[in-house]
Amino acid sequence: MPRASIHFPAGFLWGTATAAHQVEGRNTNNTWSAWEQQPGRIVDSAKAGLACDWWGGRWKEDLDRAAETGQNAHRFSIEWSRIQPAPDRWDESALDFYREMARGMHERKLTPMLTLHHFTDPLWLFEPDANGYALGTGGWERDDAPELFGRYVRKAVCALKDYVNLWITINEPNVFLNGGWLNGGFPPGKNDPKTAFKVASNLVKAHAIAYSIIHELQPEAQVGIAHHHRTFSPARPWFLPDRILADVIFRSFNHGFMDALANGTLKLLNWKTRIPEAAGTQDFIGVNYYSNDLVTFTLDPKRLFMKLSFPKDAELSPTGFIANIPEGIFQAVKWALRYNKPLYITENGVEDSEDTLRPQYLIEHLFQVWRAVNFTWPVRGYFHWSLVDNFEWERAWTQRFGLWELDVETQKRTRRRSADLYAEICRENGITSAMVEKYAPKIYPKLFPG
Ligand code: IFM
């Protein structure tokens, strides 16, 4: 018998999250496929290639893994450029593919949560530049981008509504905006705050259009975005510029989109606009949480006058990308309560190819989610990022987030210990002291003192 255990409410969703471009492979008609052709954009000039070969059918075996290890939900995304390969063309076979996948989730007793936009756009949304570079102009800077997104959403929802009730319109609009138009690490690679504000307005409008289309087609649907929450604290709390900057960045990153979808006013940095149709357009809040940052004021306008770092004593993931700060997920949930909606943790995880930190990270973060649930805060589910190692954007194959390891060459999957741990958690609908003793003994006294 376990000496102690903590439990989550009945009906809690336990899943993993994936995204189309990261797992499908063979995407040749979207922004990231053009981006990877550009020298220096992706670490080691790596390519997504076959990714996890979901397009070739390996989603079946991976979803079998999810179901066999006790998961009861899966968050996935669909690829706009496959469904609408050209402005005037719909590919019904792509819709059939996603329908089969969503049906496959039901057959495996996995509740699907579907993301309509996860960082990729079709190439036709852009005009090539004079040198033939595919991402010359356009994209989300186009005035008609929200309406075009709406047309795709209508087509996708019509095709999939028999299988999906939980919809995420846009994954991490704050990260997408920051990467594409502020730090330039994502396509189209710009560093232009004014244009970023136009893009942000278009994303908010696009979400609002998608929200109303989904509800028109499926009144009982639940719709939200997946918000990447990060706390930005001053690196030197005694230094006013660090404090002011941390505050400005926190507000823009966390409140920008989320407040716009609550009250119809978008405020980012020193820009503000009204988008009234966006007010009240979330039925639930998706929270993606990985880590928090410290902010140091610098004199570098290109980096928005800031340098980000982690606390000196923080436990870091192998490539130093994530600091293990479990209380941050509790704070993120607490922060999200202001929107007065049910919540899902739509992503949380750590890159850890050797699986040394992940078991501890997983237990500690879930312990904090359990604390939140104990305040009767309405957290309805948890989706671990990710099921299997996948293409990690500009960091490609150097960061491994999967419960299963992927050999990209052979497509062989190898189960990590964390997959066993997560299976025990899902089956128990909770965490026992025996699990902690077995998978992360170091934190036992902290979690179960006495
Ligand atoms: O892999 C990404 C995902 O696409 C969006 N959220 C963060 C993950 C890990 O970096």
Side-chain angles (χ1 to χ4, degrees):
M1 277 292 283
R3 273 178 289 170
S5 59
I6 62 173
H7 285 98
F8 289 79
F12 198 78
L13 291 188
W14 291 105
T16 46
T18 54
H21 187 76
Q22 294 179 271
V23 293
E24 283 180 354
R26 299 188 181 96
N27 266 311
T28 54
N29 196 19
N30 71 15
T31 36
W32 275 86
S33 58
W35 193 240
E36 70 175 30
Q37 307 302 326
Q38 291 252 303
R41 297 303 196 183
I42 307 224
V43 69
D44 304 333
S45 306
K47 310 271 184 246
L50 277 188
C52 309
D53 197 24
W54 277 30
W55 194 249
R58 286 184 205 262
W59 61 268
K60 295 185 186 131
E61 52 169 291
D62 284 335
L63 292 185
D64 284 346
R65 291 185 173 94
E68 282 159 12
T69 52
Q71 296 174 37
N72 61 16
H74 187 74
R75 177 179 168 221
F76 71 120
S77 82
I78 58 176
E79 174 60 39
W80 183 0
S81 68
R82 289 196 194 273
I83 292 172
Q84 191 178 10
D88 54 355
R89 196 150 58 81
W90 301 102
D91 186 341
E92 296 296 332
S93 69
L95 288 166
D96 286 345
F97 174 90
Y98 291 122
R99 246 193 312 262
E100 194 194 339
M101 192 188 281
R103 201 167 39 235
M105 290 181 204
H106 285 285
E107 283 159 9
R108 292 167 178 80
K109 306 221 173 334
L110 300 168
T111 299
M113 175 183 272
L114 190 152
T115 308
L116 290 153
H117 185 279
H118 194 125
F119 292 173
T120 56
D121 292 303
L123 285 179
W124 58 257
L125 204 58
F126 292 78
E127 287 293 330
D129 69 11
N131 304 318
Y133 172 50
L135 309 179
T137 52
W140 282 95
E141 295 164 35
R142 285 169 68 147
D143 291 333
D144 59 353
E147 191 208 319
L148 293 170
F149 181 68
R151 279 195 224 160
Y152 148 70
V153 169
R154 180 173 292 281
K155 189 78 183 172
V157 174
C158 279
L160 286 149
K161 67 181 169 41
D162 290 345
Y163 304 102
V164 178
N165 284 312
L166 292 169
W167 301 89
I168 293 201
T169 55
I170 305 177
N171 178 69
E172 298 181 343
N174 51 1
V175 173
F176 179 64
L177 185 76
N178 192 44
W181 288 269
L182 290 171
N183 72 31
F186 280 15
K190 298 200 175 166
N191 187 297
D192 177 357
K194 191 153 183 246
T195 308
F197 188 69
K198 169 150 198 205
V199 169
S201 311
N202 278 346
L203 290 168
V204 170
K205 289 177 191 162
H207 165 86
I209 290 174
Y211 182 87
S212 85
I213 290 172
I214 299 170
H215 276 290
E216 175 201 320
L217 297 170
Q218 189 188 24
E220 73 283 10
Q222 295 290 295
V223 184
I225 63 164
H227 168 68
H228 188 120
H229 187 276
R230 281 183 104 86
T231 295
F232 298 93
S233 312
R236 298 162 294 183
W238 44 267
F239 189 51
L240 187 62
D242 282 9
R243 287 212 302 275
I244 293 174
L245 191 64
D247 186 56
V248 169
I249 303 298
F250 182 91
R251 278 175 200 285
S252 289
F253 195 81
N254 291 306
H255 284 271
F257 286 102
M258 292 291 283
D259 286 3
L261 306 189
N263 61 27
T265 299
L266 174 68
K267 277 199 251 174
L268 282 178
L269 302 173
N270 51 346
W271 286 281
K272 184 174 167 180
T273 189
R274 283 282 300 150
I275 307 174
E277 68 274 23
T281 57
Q282 291 209 86
D283 305 317
F284 67 84
I285 309 293
V287 175
N288 292 3
Y289 172 80
Y290 290 85
S291 204
N292 288 333
D293 293 298
L294 297 177
V295 179
T296 304
F297 175 77
T298 70
L299 291 173
D300 183 358
K302 280 211 142 194
R303 297 185 182 278
L304 290 177
F305 300 99
M306 65 173 167
K307 183 169 113 357
L308 299 178
S309 60
F310 292 132
K312 282 202 176 52
D313 55 350
E315 252 169 324
L316 299 184
S317 61
T319 67
F321 184 62
I322 288 169
N324 180 27
I325 308 174
E327 300 76 19
I329 201 166
F330 179 84
Q331 297 303 340
V333 170
K334 188 172 177 189
W335 172 87
L337 291 177
R338 72 190 60 228
Y339 299 107
N340 214 7
K341 298 284 173 196
L343 295 151
Y344 293 91
I345 305 299
T346 36
E347 284 180 31
N348 169 244
V350 63
E351 48 92 9
D352 183 10
S353 54
E354 299 301 319
D355 210 38
T356 44
L357 176 59
R358 188 178 289 105
Q360 174 191 341
Y361 181 100
L362 181 55
I363 291 174
E364 289 187 306
H365 282 73
L366 283 173
F367 190 81
Q368 294 295 330
V369 176
W370 173 77
R371 273 185 65 213
V373 163
N374 273 278
F375 282 99
T376 67
W377 298 348
V379 187
R380 304 280 191 250
Y382 172 89
F383 293 82
H384 188 76
W385 186 274
S386 183
L387 178 55
V388 57
D389 288 344
N390 54 53
F391 184 73
E392 182 53 30
W393 308 112
E394 78 279 26
R395 296 174 304 280
W397 299 106
T398 60
Q399 295 189 342
R400 304 302 185 114
F401 279 86
L403 294 176
W404 269 263
E405 179 189 334
L406 174 75
D407 181 324
V408 185
E409 297 303 314
T410 63
Q411 285 293 321
K412 182 170 179 267
R413 276 81 168 145
T414 307
R415 189 168 166 147
R416 293 195 167 105
R417 257 185 114 225
S418 289
D420 298 330
L421 165 62
Y422 195 49
E424 290 189 33
I425 293 172
C426 296
R427 291 202 181 102
E428 178 71 28
N429 196 26
I431 301 173
T432 66
S433 52
M435 290 177 203
V436 181
E437 242 168 355
K438 181 166 157 198
Y439 293 97
K442 188 174 113 187
I443 54 170
Y444 189 94
K446 197 160 83 182
L447 260 53
F448 297 110

